[in-house]
């Protein structure tokens, strides 16, 4: 079972469901333009799920899976994201009450096998493999919600080998944290231990073995990952 560590405490959180929001920053939608597909700004949140085995908190080494000895992808890409950790079960939560269900926040990277995702999109097939593979989702220590004054207004960035690739602010989200919680709790229900990846700003890039990826979110912390 994937377990998250809580910063400055012995407490751990067992991860239940892993929800992810796609297309939640305009500049990333723009950079992802794929000819022939719908590249418009979504009117409702774009949701996908990952298995909890995708969460990585121990070695922070991310590896493209091999099938019978052969890597399944040639295009691993970074997506830095603010991660919400759910602290209280809820269904049909209003935006007004949404923040009561947040335990805390963490830095996450939604690593993506872009070649597989693009091919599956073109074929109209699910892209779970592109997003949910083992080690695809490293998550930092969790910072308790009460210590983050305004999670909807913090800087988020990522560098590869010390070169900045992604830089944004959570104020740029198309669907806010409150709306995401309202939406997910209405459709799926949310439970203590669920984690929610809230989307990535522009600057995704192809990574190769040995790359050192460093993600940072203001007031929350840093997450250092190596591509294996
Ligand atoms: Mg993402």
């Amino acid at each position: 079972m994937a377990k998250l560590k809580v910063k400055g405490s012995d407490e751990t959180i067992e991860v239940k469901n892993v929800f992810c929001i796609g297309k939640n920053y305009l500049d990333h939608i723009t950079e992802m333009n794929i000819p022939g597909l719908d590249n418009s700004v979504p009117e409702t949140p774009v949701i996908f799920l990952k298995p909890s085995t995708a969460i990585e908190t121990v070695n922070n080494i991310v590896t493209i899976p091999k099938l019978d000895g052969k890597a399944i992808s040639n295009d691993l890409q970074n997506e830095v994201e603010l991660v919400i950790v759910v602290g209280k079960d809820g269904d049909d939560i209003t935006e007004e009450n949404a923040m009561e269900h947040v335990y805390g926040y963490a830095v996450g990277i939604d690593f993506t096998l872009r070649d597989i995702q693009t091919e599956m999109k073109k074929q109209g097939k699910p892209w779970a493999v592109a997003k949910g593979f083992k080690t695809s989702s490293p998550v930092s220590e969790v910072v308790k919600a009460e210590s983050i004054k305004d999670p909807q207004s913090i800087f988020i960035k990522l560098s590869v080998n010390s070169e900045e690739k992604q830089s944004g602010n959570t104020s740029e989200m198309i669907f806010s944290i409150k709306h995401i919680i309202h939406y997910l709790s209405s459709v799926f229900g949310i439970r203590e231990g669920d984690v929610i990846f809230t989307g990535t700003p522009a600057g995704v890039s192809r990574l190769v073995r040995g790359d050192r990826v460093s993600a940072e979110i203001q007031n929350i912390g840093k997450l250092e990952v190596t591509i294996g």
Side-chain angles (χ1 to χ4, degrees), residues 16-118:
K16 277 203 193 106
N17 299 301
V18 182
F19 297 107
C20 304
I21 315 300
K23 295 189 169 188
N24 207 22
Y25 288 78
L26 188 59
D27 58 355
H28 176 59
I29 296 173
T30 306
E31 76 172 347
M32 284 294 296
N33 186 48
I34 302 171
L37 295 184
D38 176 14
N39 300 296
S40 60
V41 176
E43 286 172 12
T44 53
V46 175
I47 311 292
F48 58 95
L49 284 84
K50 301 194 189 217
S52 58
T53 47
I55 301 293
E56 167 60 41
T57 58
V58 180
N59 300 315
N60 285 353
I61 297 172
V62 174
T63 309
I64 297 173
K66 289 192 173 80
L67 186 65
D68 303 324
K70 189 174 178 293
I72 65 169
S73 164
N74 191 33
D75 192 7
L76 174 68
Q77 298 194 357
N78 52 275
E79 294 189 2
V80 62
E81 310 201 2
L82 174 69
V83 172
I84 304 167
V85 179
V86 175
K88 193 170 96 177
D89 295 2
D91 294 88
D92 307 311
I93 302 165
T94 61
E95 288 195 23
E96 194 184 7
N97 295 330
M99 299 318 246
E100 293 170 17
H101 294 263
V102 178
Y103 175 88
Y105 300 94
V107 183
I109 307 176
D110 168 24
F111 281 97
T112 303
L113 305 174
R114 194 71 69 195
D115 46 359
I116 293 178
Q117 187 195 33
T118 302

Side-chain angles (χ1 to χ4, degrees), residues 10-11 16 24 28 33 37 45 65 69 71 77 80 119 133 150-151 155 178 191-192 199-200 202 219 223:
D10 293 334
E11 207 179 327
K16 277 203 193 106
N24 207 22
H28 176 59
N33 186 48
L37 295 184
Q77 298 194 357
V80 62
E119 185 56 31
F133 63 95
D150 184 1
F155 291 102
K178 288 178 179 178
R191 300 293 176 261
E192 183 182 354
T200 196
N219 299 335
L223 174 63

